[in-house]
Amino acid sequence: ACPVKHNDSSSSTQQQQQYDVYSRPLPMDPTNNMPLQNPTSLARNSLPSPNQSSALPTERISSSIPKGGVETTWTYPSPQMFYNALARKGKLDEDTKEEDMISVVAIHNCMNEGTWGRILQWEKVLGPKSDGGSESTSGGPSLTKFMGRPTDLSPKAFFKHYLLNHPLPFDRHDWTVTRTNADGSANNVRYVIDYYHDDAAAQEEEGSGLPKMNEGIGTGGKLQSLLVDVRPAADSVSEVWGRMIEMPLARRGCRSFLECLLFKGHGSGPKSDFEPLPLSPNESLKSSLGESQEVWENIQKDAAMKKGVGAKDDSEACASDSLEDEKKKVDGNDVASAAEHGRKAIEQGTESQEPTITKAEATQLATSFSKILSSCQEPKMALQTCNSDEECKKAFLGMTVCAGQFMCPLQHSSLLESLTSHDATGENEEMAEAKISTALDVLGECVANYDERAGVAKGQFPELFEEVWKEKKRGE
């Protein structure tokens, strides 16, 4: 079922539709008009990614940006959530380092706070006014939803680049801001935001890679290399009027054209703090033109490659015990099939190239398998002797968990923590079960990925595996 959007004429007790960080409408509980929580999603946010090797912080901090529909602010993602999002979108590569996520999140938060600050400058001029002409006291603006549109060039960015030779933006966002009027009614306004990077203005001073969220972007901020062009979208005559007339007058302190004309552009009223980005690039930005074009081309290629690609979930699910080069089919409805599900997620219905394994990694993989065969004798025997589907599912799960402590120590530790945290934290049963189930899925996918890579290593360096196996036999 899809959430229903209610008209402005609905009852005042109807809660405003809320959205998640991906601009998806949150399902609402009809008994209290509040969003329904998804235990699985909440559990996934705090767990490591299947291919992750280092633990990341899971703590989140609150922004200063009011969230539409509630009396709270938006909460920024933790470094772990940010890393999971990159993994889910397929944006992790060899240049992405897990330890960099703390800095990436700090820059992300600072950039969003700077963006919101500029929106507030616009809203101070264009937002609801009281009868006396002053700013309304009925409640400030709030951010209802936002959407990343990195592959879409805004009309203004198009004009600046192709006519004025300005660098291309490295990202674009559309933010929907809710204005509350004096009579209690509300209306939404879309803001278009282009983000630019000025390489020459990049700060090398200590702390520039780990800014506080209120230290600012652009000129005068900690992150001077990040430039943001914020303006209301031209979705209505009033917003076009605000961009073309009201804000230019407000920046000069003028209440009318006549006042600006009489006083040569210097009105007697308060002046807006808003400073728009110049249309034409300065000398510093001109040096970033070539790199911005390369970034834009890479964004388009990346989007084209990922379009329509997704994991197939309608195939027959089976799990293989390639740890012993034996294959057993099990029911795919159990968490024991998570390993095979992970393998299918990697393949994503396409034929992938065989990964390159170094000799050092192959040695480490062979050593891990030797430890598994020595330490997991009991689940190994159970897997070899199981007779029913139920027995084989349990045996495979036991082998996955046992092998996981050597293959995927981080994910294995997260599973153990999930099993023991219920009593310590007082989590409700639904949340605890979701966390355990999700932790099992993550571990299963990690083991499958490791298992697949070990199979490639064995094919490329069979002598290493044979040597480790002989060493194990001598030790026995």
Side-chain angles (χ1 to χ4, degrees):
C2 298
V4 178
K5 292 186 177 180
H6 297 273
N7 297 326
D8 293 340
S9 59
S10 61
S11 171
S12 60
T13 60
Q14 175 65 48
Q15 187 80 317
Q16 177 183 332
Q17 176 65 64
Q18 296 176 41
Y19 298 81
D20 65 11
V21 295
Y22 308 109
S23 292
R24 298 174 300 200
L26 291 171
M28 307 293 283
D29 185 345
T31 62
N32 58 10
N33 292 322
M34 294 298 290
L36 291 169
Q37 297 295 326
N38 185 331
T40 301
S41 297
L42 293 174
R44 189 67 188 83
N45 288 338
S46 62
L47 293 170
S49 180
N51 293 325
Q52 188 176 329
S53 58
S54 301
L56 290 172
T58 58
E59 295 77 17
R60 304 176 65 184
I61 62 174
S62 297
S63 73
S64 68
I65 306 174
K67 186 174 184 179
V70 290
E71 298 297 325
T72 60
T73 61
W74 286 89
T75 305
Y76 286 127
S78 67
Q80 182 63 69
M81 291 176 65
F82 206 98
Y83 186 85
N84 288 344
L86 292 178
R88 183 179 58 255
K89 296 176 183 179
K91 293 185 177 181
L92 294 179
D93 54 35
E94 58 185 13
D95 295 326
T96 306
K97 298 180 180 179
E98 296 165 5
E99 58 268 24
D100 291 340
M101 288 300 105
I102 296 176
S103 176
V104 169
V105 168
I107 293 173
H108 164 270
N109 297 351
C110 185
M111 187 171 71
N112 281 336
E113 292 291 324
T115 301
W116 182 248
R118 285 157 176 76
I119 287 178
L120 291 181
Q121 291 173 338
W122 275 101
E123 287 298 301
K124 190 172 183 179
V125 174
L126 306 184
K129 304 292 190 298
S130 64
D131 293 338
S134 60
E135 195 173 351
S136 173
T137 59
S138 60
S142 59
L143 176 61
T144 299
K145 62 178 178 177
F146 49 90
M147 180 180 298
R149 300 178 61 182
T151 60
D152 298 332
L153 199 61
S154 68
K156 185 177 180 180
F158 182 95
F159 172 84
K160 290 170 66 174
H161 177 67
Y162 290 103
L163 274 73
L164 304 177
N165 219 28
H166 193 286
L168 288 161
F170 68 84
D171 200 3
R172 171 191 169 176
H173 284 186
D174 283 11
W175 289 19
T176 299
V177 174
T178 298
R179 293 173 180 167
T180 303
N181 302 310
D183 60 0
S185 63
N187 62 291
N188 292 332
V189 179
R190 182 170 63 96
Y191 275 84
V192 179
I193 305 157
D194 290 319
Y195 293 100
Y196 298 90
H197 187 260
D198 184 356
D199 289 333
Q203 294 295 294
E204 299 297 336
E205 62 190 47
E206 185 178 355
S208 62
L210 199 64
K212 297 178 182 178
M213 69 178 190
N214 60 351
E215 288 189 312
I217 59 177
T219 304
K222 175 68 76 172
L223 300 176
Q224 296 188 28
S225 60
L226 287 179
L227 307 177
V228 58
D229 189 353
V230 181
R231 68 276 185 194
D235 292 338
S236 67
V237 174
S238 62
E239 300 311 320
V240 174
W241 179 266
R243 286 175 59 170
M244 303 297 292
I245 306 299
E246 289 189 66
M247 179 56 84
L249 290 177
R251 291 182 56 233
R252 294 164 175 79
C254 300
R255 296 179 177 86
S256 66
F257 278 117
L258 181 60
E259 184 179 4
C260 265
L261 183 63
L262 292 176
F263 295 95
K264 299 180 179 180
H266 298 285
S268 59
K271 295 182 179 181
S272 171
D273 296 329
F274 180 75
E275 287 290 339
L277 289 183
L279 288 174
S280 299
N282 56 26
E283 292 301 320
S284 178
L285 276 172
K286 286 179 181 178
S287 64
S288 301
L289 178 60
E291 183 175 352
S292 76
Q293 292 171 326
E294 291 180 8
V295 170
W296 176 257
E297 290 173 0
N298 289 335
I299 291 173
Q300 300 302 315
K301 290 178 181 177
D302 183 64
M305 288 176 61
K306 290 180 171 59
K307 187 175 182 181
V309 177
K312 294 185 176 181
D313 57 6
D314 56 350
S315 303
E316 180 184 2
C318 65
S320 66
D321 176 30
S322 57
L323 297 173
E324 285 293 300
D325 293 324
E326 297 173 357
K327 296 187 180 293
K328 293 177 177 289
K329 286 190 175 181
V330 297
D331 188 345
N333 295 324
D334 194 86
V335 291
S337 65
E340 179 65 14
H341 171 75
R343 185 176 290 110
K344 290 179 180 178
I346 295 173
E347 294 171 352
Q348 293 188 327
T350 62
E351 185 178 352
S352 58
Q353 293 183 344
E354 188 175 88
T356 302
I357 306 292
T358 65
K359 187 174 182 179
E361 184 182 0
T363 301
Q364 188 267 330
L365 290 167
T367 303
S368 295
F369 265 68
S370 177
K371 292 178 181 178
I372 291 169
L373 296 177
S374 297
S375 303
C376 302
Q377 292 292 328
E378 186 174 338
K380 168 190 167 184
M381 182 61 65
L383 191 59
Q384 291 175 329
T385 59
C386 62
N387 295 315
S388 65
D389 287 346
E390 188 65 26
E391 284 185 4
C392 289
K393 285 189 292 183
K394 291 180 179 180
F396 187 85
L397 178 58
M399 190 66 185
T400 298
V401 173
C402 183
Q405 62 185 309
F406 302 101
M407 293 178 164
C408 309
L410 177 61
Q411 290 74 12
H412 186 267
S413 296
S414 295
L415 173 60
L416 296 182
E417 183 180 347
S418 300
L419 291 168
T420 58
S421 64
H422 175 42
D423 294 334
T425 61
E427 291 177 329
N428 61 53
E429 291 294 335
E430 185 179 17
M431 185 63 205
E433 290 178 4
K435 194 169 184 179
I436 294 171
S437 177
T438 306
L440 280 169
D441 289 342
V442 170
L443 179 63
E445 186 173 343
C446 179
V447 169
N449 297 345
Y450 195 104
D451 191 20
E452 180 185 49
R453 199 162 182 83
V456 174
K458 188 175 182 180
Q460 294 179 0
F461 301 95
E463 70 283 355
L464 286 179
F465 281 75
E466 185 66 25
E467 182 180 343
V468 170
W469 179 257
K470 290 179 180 179
E471 183 67 27
K472 174 182 177 295
K473 287 294 186 181
R474 285 195 294 267
E476 294 177 350

